[in-house]
Amino acid sequence: MEPIIPLFSIPVALSALAALLLIARARGAKVLGWLVLIGMWINLILAIKLLAPVFTGSVSGYDTNQVLASGFKIDGPAALFILLTSLVSATVLSHARLFFRREREGNEELDDSALTVYYLFSLLFHISMIAVFICDNLGYLWISIEATTLMSAALVYFNRDKHALEAAWKYLIICSVGIAFALFGTVCFYISSKYGAVPGGSLSLSQLAEVAPHLEPTYVRLAFILCFLGYGTKAGLFPLHSWLPDAYSEAPAPASAMIAGALLNCALFAIFRIYQVAYCLDNHAFYQELVLWSGTITVVAASVFLVRQHGIKRLWGYSSIENAGLLLVAIGLNSTPIFLLHAVNHSIAKVALFLLSGDIIQHAGSKELSQIKGIWTSMPVRSTLFAAAAIAVTGAPPFGAFISEWLLLTGCVSQGRWLLAVLLVLAISLAFIMIAFHTGRILGGGAPKEKATEPEHAGFNGIVPGALLIAALALGITTGPLVLGWLQ
Amino acid sequence: MNLTLSEFFAVGAVIFAIFMSGTIQLRTNLLLYAIQTLLVGVVTAAFYLASNESQYLWLALVVILVKAAGISLFLAWVLRRINVFRDGATYLPIPIAMHVCILMLGIAHFLADRLPAPPDQSLHLQAGSAESGIALVLIGTLFMLTRKTAVSQIIGFLTMENGIYLFTLAQAHGMPMAVELGILLDVLVGVMVAGVITFRIQKSFEHIDVTQLRDLRD
């Protein structure tokens, strides 16, 4: 059975519907919201059903030479990321309905067409992200990643004010220039394969990995560095991260949740793929050091930036940069299981955190940390969830991220990289302390007197983040004993 | 030194890019960008004559129609709508910028010399030259770094993209057609999105100097 076309069918149909609604200038964002909610959950179930054979091992992966043009492939990591992205989209778009209902109270500008635009671009964004994971061709990979930038730029600009404009412009330009370097790198990979490794040249990642020792060394080195910088820009690699906190902070919460929970993985997945090629080269130690140290420096820098933050969502932006660094270290250790596990743990907790932050910003009426204080008294349910999500993101037990970060550190140590491990422990601890400190002030701290905060009507708003947190907890509890058993 | 026809056009594209960094009139910038892209299209067509593979002819047509004509006309329309025609101030004085661009051409020559010779020697002299490609990438980057308006940023990015395209043509005889078209589609949509954002910047800030967008910081 060919899974690729069914994977896209529901999001494509829904986005076509949204586009039709926009063209016809019809109202009906409410109905569309419900359809998207139901559709994306069916989409998730469909994805599980289609990709189950990859996980149970009955097929090692899908190659698609027979159907469309060649150049697409779904193997284990790709299947996992497709499921993760589908889960993130389903949960975010479910919560978005509640978020925007509250947002529309007293905001005339947020009319039906604005909401339809949101759904349209979220769906297109989802489609472009799924496209990233099925690519086995470097060229298609580049096209898909640039498409994710273009689609999400519209989401960053959603609020249509000056700050959103600034964030969207920086996002578009910095990421596009970064991606242009990745295009240069892609070209160099192609050229490197033409020196006898593959007659006529190849962009296929699996083919390049097979013939890696025969690739032209100068071009491969150039190719890897350019692609790494290019996709690294998109992943928030220090010092190319400057767009990331702005974009996360200015996008509406459900969009930031999708960007943080799913888009980050796309860029890292691209790096993961090219690293798999580089790892097959004779002199792979150079590439390994490059990735490991870039990752570590990113983690250290991000945790230092966490100390002085004034915006709640900027805080989580830097936390995402920190986690991107950790994921890079996992890639550098060439440990696919740790990379996948940490990506899943981080995405699930971060989505819950962004969705709850959106609710808190609505409640407090500001995204400045100085204005958000003492919310525990007025919204106890979501504050509790918020605290749990913040703890889960930092990688504290008993949540899943603790296990993956711990595995990462033991991985560093077992390869004899003590300096790396020490730096990472220090940075992770600093990040934990700062996030705990900021979260404590948000929850406790004297509430600003002038704002009469009405008591919370949590309603259904706690369901999606709550469910995600239960999943994060379950990941921690189930993977924990496995790891312990493995250690003994 | 013998210059083949396609190398001649490729170097011509670089020379027009250097001219482009010699003016702050945005419409002249656009015109020079269009000529530069047209020459890149001509290089592709010249390569078709040498290799006789019809896909290069189609590619040349698409490059000329979409990038040289379509994108330039779109950006010219954007400029007319927002009524901005000058790049107020640049970080580098214009004469120095032009000299730096010539220096870039030298650097590109040096870099291209250090690269291994192209894999397929039979046709490579007909496919432009790697140093023109690298020079365009460097000039485009410099243009983006030294100019201040949103439209100049877009033009600089497009020049970079032209450079990458020319480099690919020279060293690898182009990417597979599906990839080339996909890249072109992304660039087209990207320019559209950037154009729309430029409108909005003009509407909200009453200027398009993107260096003044710096409210967001830590």
Side-chain angles (χ1 to χ4, degrees):
Chain A
M1 185 176 48
E2 190 58 61
I4 285 184
I5 293 164
L7 269 181
F8 287 100
S9 55
I10 293 175
V12 169
L14 287 170
S15 51
L17 179 68
L20 279 178
L21 278 179
L22 266 185
I23 292 167
R25 295 172 183 279
R27 298 173 61 84
K30 204 172 176 181
V31 182
L32 182 68
W34 275 108
L35 283 177
V36 168
L37 189 157
I38 298 165
M40 292 311 280
W41 283 102
I42 296 175
N43 181 51
L44 176 65
I45 295 166
L46 187 69
I48 294 173
K49 195 167 167 296
L50 288 168
L51 299 175
V54 181
F55 291 112
T56 54
S58 54
V59 292
S60 61
Y62 293 105
D63 264 315
T64 56
N65 292 322
Q66 55 278 46
V67 187
L68 309 152
S70 60
F72 300 101
K73 183 176 133 183
I74 303 179
D75 56 0
L80 184 76
F81 275 117
I82 291 172
L83 289 190
L84 181 61
T85 306
S86 304
L87 174 72
V88 168
S89 300
T91 49
V92 167
L93 289 168
S94 308
H95 193 85
R97 221 178 48 76
L98 301 166
F99 176 84
F100 285 115
R101 192 168 65 192
R102 171 83 194 259
E103 196 85 329
R104 287 177 85 166
E105 287 167 10
N107 185 351
E108 294 294 319
E109 278 187 26
L110 194 57
D111 55 5
D112 267 33
S113 74
L115 266 189
T116 312
V117 167
Y118 166 78
Y119 283 119
L120 174 62
F121 280 99
S122 294
L123 290 162
L124 292 175
F125 183 34
H126 171 82
I127 294 166
S128 55
M129 287 193 293
I130 298 292
V132 170
F133 298 123
I134 64 169
C135 288
D136 184 44
N137 177 309
L138 270 168
Y140 298 163
L141 184 71
W142 185 89
I143 295 166
S144 313
I145 291 206
E146 174 68 5
T148 60
T149 309
L150 299 175
M151 296 306 135
S152 48
L155 293 177
V156 174
Y157 179 57
F158 182 81
N159 282 338
R160 302 187 184 201
D161 53 20
K162 284 186 171 183
H163 285 164
L165 206 49
E166 181 181 342
W169 177 261
K170 281 185 184 165
Y171 175 49
L172 188 67
I173 287 296
I174 295 178
C175 283
S176 294
V177 171
I179 288 281
F181 282 105
L183 177 62
F184 212 157
T186 303
V187 170
C188 290
F189 266 121
Y190 186 55
I191 298 170
S192 75
S193 72
K194 287 195 136 193
Y195 289 85
V198 183
S202 171
L203 282 167
S204 156
L205 283 157
S206 36
Q207 205 173 2
L208 286 175
E210 274 169 29
V211 300
H214 305 290
L215 297 174
E216 211 290 319
T218 315
Y219 272 116
V220 166
R221 184 173 285 220
L222 201 59
F224 184 83
I225 294 172
L226 287 169
C227 280
F228 182 65
L229 282 179
Y231 294 133
T233 311
K234 197 103 203 276
L237 188 70
F238 178 81
L240 305 166
H241 67 281
S242 63
W243 62 271
L244 192 146
D246 296 350
Y248 280 27
S249 168
E250 294 312 316
S256 340
M258 235 165 133
I259 296 174
L263 182 60
L264 198 69
N265 295 339
C266 289
L268 288 161
F269 184 76
I271 294 175
F272 168 68
R273 284 291 203 219
I274 57 165
Y275 187 72
Q276 283 181 328
V277 175
Y279 202 76
C280 299
L281 295 167
D282 297 332
N283 59 342
H284 68 259
F286 164 76
Y287 305 103
Q288 183 163 27
E289 297 300 320
L290 177 70
V291 174
L292 280 174
W293 281 103
S294 313
T296 310
I297 292 169
T298 304
V299 176
V300 172
S303 54
V304 172
F305 276 118
L306 274 170
V307 174
R308 274 176 61 91
Q309 282 305 318
H310 57 84
I312 180 168
K313 284 204 285 181
R314 295 185 76 86
L315 198 64
W316 310 136
Y318 280 105
S319 152
S320 284
I321 297 175
E322 184 213 345
N323 279 286
L326 290 173
L327 288 165
L328 275 179
V329 174
I331 294 173
L333 293 173
N334 199 29
S335 168
T336 310
I338 301 178
F339 170 59
L340 299 179
L341 187 64
H342 192 64
V344 171
N345 283 325
H346 169 248
S347 290
I348 288 177
K350 195 48 83 52
V351 168
L353 191 56
F354 265 111
L355 294 179
L356 289 163
S357 302
D359 287 5
I360 288 170
I361 291 169
Q362 280 179 341
H363 191 77
S366 168
K367 52 190 165 201
E368 294 297 314
L369 282 172
S370 57
Q371 300 295 314
I372 310 174
K373 277 179 186 162
I375 57 161
W376 198 82
T377 44
S378 55
M379 45 193 308
V381 178
R382 277 176 283 177
S383 310
T384 315
L385 289 175
F386 177 75
I391 294 296
V393 162
T394 58
F399 293 98
F402 171 68
I403 307 290
S404 45
E405 286 185 6
W406 190 47
L407 283 174
L408 192 67
L409 292 172
T410 51
C412 283
V413 171
S414 69
Q415 293 196 9
R417 298 179 182 279
W418 285 95
L419 181 59
L420 225 61
V422 169
L423 283 174
L424 286 176
V425 168
L426 288 175
I428 292 172
S429 315
L430 179 63
F432 175 79
I433 293 168
M434 288 330 295
I435 287 178
F437 167 75
H438 288 299
T439 309
R441 293 234 300 208
I442 292 169
L443 259 62
K449 289 282 188 303
E450 63 273 26
K451 279 211 181 76
T453 42
E454 78 268 37
E456 146 184 71
H457 299 291
F460 297 111
N461 279 42
I463 292 179
V464 168
L468 285 168
L469 282 171
I470 291 170
L473 196 61
L475 272 170
I477 292 168
T478 51
T479 51
L482 281 178
V483 172
L484 280 178
W486 168 69
L487 280 179
Q488 284 156 7
Chain B
M1 188 173 101
N2 289 322
L3 209 61
T4 64
L5 194 64
S6 65
E7 277 182 304
F8 173 76
F9 288 124
V11 174
V14 178
I15 291 174
F16 275 98
I18 296 176
F19 287 158
M20 187 178 81
S21 52
T23 171
I24 53 164
Q25 300 292 334
L26 288 172
R27 280 198 290 194
T28 318
N29 282 339
L30 260 185
L31 180 68
L32 292 168
Y33 160 75
I35 297 172
Q36 169 208 326
T37 314
L38 182 72
L39 289 173
V40 170
V42 172
V43 173
T44 319
F47 188 61
Y48 158 72
L49 293 177
S51 69
N52 220 5
E53 286 177 45
S54 64
Q55 57 158 334
Y56 294 107
L57 187 63
W58 292 115
L59 202 54
L61 271 179
V62 174
V63 166
I64 291 171
L65 284 179
V66 175
K67 280 206 299 200
I71 288 181
S72 307
L73 287 174
F74 171 72
L75 287 177
W77 176 74
V78 169
L79 286 178
R80 203 166 55 239
R81 279 282 301 272
I82 60 180
N83 209 18
V84 175
F85 300 105
R86 282 167 63 90
D87 199 329
T90 60
Y91 283 115
L92 269 185
I94 292 298
I96 295 180
M98 283 182 87
H99 283 97
V100 174
C101 283
I102 294 166
L103 189 71
M104 293 283 182
L105 187 56
I107 294 173
H109 182 76
F110 173 73
L111 290 176
D113 253 9
R114 291 170 58 101
L115 285 175
D120 185 359
Q121 293 284 349
S122 58
L123 287 168
H124 93 273
L125 285 180
Q126 305 304 324
S129 61
E131 63 214 62
S132 309
I134 299 175
L136 278 182
V137 172
L138 294 176
I139 293 172
T141 313
L142 186 77
F143 201 77
M144 287 192 86
L145 288 175
T146 54
R147 299 297 172 116
K148 293 185 174 179
T149 67
V151 176
S152 333
Q153 302 285 315
I154 303 173
I155 296 175
F157 175 75
L158 289 167
T159 305
M160 272 173 85
E161 203 273 332
N162 269 346
I164 296 172
Y165 173 84
L166 206 54
F167 182 81
T168 318
L169 198 62
Q171 297 298 92
H173 298 173
M175 301 255 247
M177 195 65 175
V179 176
E180 289 284 8
L181 292 180
I183 294 169
L184 212 63
L185 181 69
D186 267 352
V187 169
L188 187 65
V189 177
V191 170
M192 298 276 181
V193 174
V196 170
I197 296 183
T198 307
F199 273 136
R200 302 288 178 167
I201 293 177
Q202 168 72 10
K203 211 170 158 186
S204 303
F205 294 88
E206 295 177 348
H207 64 75
I208 56 167
D209 182 350
V210 287
T211 56
Q212 286 182 34
L213 303 185
R214 51 186 176 204
D215 264 3
L216 300 177
R217 55 175 61 193
D218 293 319

